[in-house]
């Protein structure tokens, strides 16, 4: 079924940020077969709201997780996995049967792997969301608020990393040390490396968030000043209520000056002694006759002049 409806499911996922897809569009993609739409609705793969359809949240979360495209950072998974490990360790210690004990060990291994994978994924999602928010969020207040929330998420992830490290190094260290399982020890070693990398990446992310917040603050102050100036200008009170003119007269920034342009004059010795110059003069004369305006002296200017080439070039020959 999923293979048959691949086209419409892809459309639903790619356009999940929109307010759903209209019936006409969905029907057209599904070749006007309403029974296919009904099947997807009955199986709760898509949701129907009047004549608007959208992909169910469960499938959106699945595809986002599988494609590393999720924006939501769910730290509850890590906490749940930590509790699951503690429970399975208790079950293991209480169990006498070898088969059951091996089953609990297998669950503990899988959960430890999950903690490493989920932690790294959360850090990657957090970094991507921080950068996307700063670049794409147009509203300054929402941008600042979202970045502050991401900073809290970063603190929460760091706290869970510390809890995970305490679990394997302190709280349950005697269990992990006594369990003679090479695969389990290898998983724990990899988990320590993943947690350590995640902590270092979180430090860089927090620095980035602070930097972005400082830039937003600076930009918002500048924009607020511009708004006040515009308001005073519109009220025709800018000159009388501020020292605007006085401040500008004290400014000598080059940005307020027009770029100077200087005419370029080649020396007579260069004009008389350089065969290339003579050929270029002849070309100028020829093009003058034909109306071609291309500048043939570009190479000469580059070779003989150290000053920047002006926009309008002129060749001045002074008779002696």
């Amino acid at each position: 079924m999923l293979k048959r409806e691949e086209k419409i499911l892809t459309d639903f996922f790619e356009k999940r940020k929109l307010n759903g897809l209209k019936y006409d569009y969905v029907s057209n993609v599904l070749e006007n077969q309403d029974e296919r739409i009904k099947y997807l609705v009955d199986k709760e793969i898509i949701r129907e709201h009047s004549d608007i359809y959208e992909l169910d949240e469960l499938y959106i979360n699945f595809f986002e997780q599988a494609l590393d495209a999720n924006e939501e950072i769910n730290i509850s998974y890590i906490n749940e996995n930590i509790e699951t490990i503690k429970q399975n360790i208790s079950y293991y210690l209480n169990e006498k049967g070898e088969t059951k004990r091996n089953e609990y060990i297998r669950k503990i291994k899988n959960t430890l792997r999950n903690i490493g994978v989920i932690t790294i994924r959360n850090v990657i999602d957090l970094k991507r969301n921080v950068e996307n928010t700063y670049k794409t969020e147009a509203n300054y207040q929402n941008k600042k608020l979202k970045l502050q929330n991401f900073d809290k998420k970063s603190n929460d992830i760091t706290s869970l990393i510390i809890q995970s490290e305490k679990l394997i190094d302190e709280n349950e260290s005697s269990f992990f040390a006594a369990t003679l399982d090479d695969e389990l020890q290898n998983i724990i070693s990899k988990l320590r490396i993943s947690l350590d990398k995640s902590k270092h990446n979180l430090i860089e992310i927090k620095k980035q968030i602070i930097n972005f917040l400082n830039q937003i603050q600076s930009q918002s102050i500048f924009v607020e000043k511009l708004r006040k100036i515009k308001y005073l200008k519109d009220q025709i009170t800018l000159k009388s209520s501020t020292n605007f003119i006085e401040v500008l007269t004290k400014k000598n920034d080059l940005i307020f000056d027009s770029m100077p342009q200087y005419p370029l004059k080649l020396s007579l010795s260069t004009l008389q002694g350089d065969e290339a110059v003579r050929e270029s003069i002849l070309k100028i004369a020829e093009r003058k006759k034909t109306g071609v305006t291309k500048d043939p002296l570009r190479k000469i200017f580059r070779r003989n002049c150290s000053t920047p080439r002006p926009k309008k070039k002129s060749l001045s020959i002074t008779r002696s």
Side-chain angles (χ1 to χ4, degrees), residues 177-221:
T179 305
L180 301 177
D181 190 304
D182 292 338
E183 184 183 14
L184 178 61
Q185 298 303 321
N186 185 40
I187 292 171
I188 293 173
S189 297
K190 290 182 177 179
L191 178 59
R192 286 195 181 100
I193 294 172
S194 297
L195 295 177
D196 188 59
K197 287 182 178 179
S198 297
K199 281 197 300 185
H200 284 85
N201 287 329
L202 284 171
I203 292 173
E204 295 302 317
I205 292 173
K206 285 185 70 67
K207 289 180 180 178
Q208 190 178 40
I209 292 174
I210 293 172
N211 181 43
F212 285 161
L213 287 173
N214 289 337
Q215 290 185 43
I216 291 171
Q217 182 66 20
S218 175
Q219 291 169 1
S220 62
I221 292 173

Side-chain angles (χ1 to χ4, degrees), residues 32-48:
N32 298 316
Q33 299 179 25
D34 287 350
E35 64 275 10
R36 293 170 65 181
I37 298 178
K38 185 177 183 303
Y39 178 84
L40 293 174
V41 173
D42 291 342
K43 293 297 182 180
E44 297 185 345
I45 297 173
I46 62 176
R47 299 287 181 179
E48 180 183 6

Side-chain angles (χ1 to χ4, degrees), residues 105-118:
I105 284 290
R106 180 181 60 80
K107 291 181 179 179
I108 291 171
K109 291 176 183 178
N110 291 336
T111 311
L112 287 170
R113 289 192 188 98
N114 289 339
I115 289 177
V117 171
I118 294 171

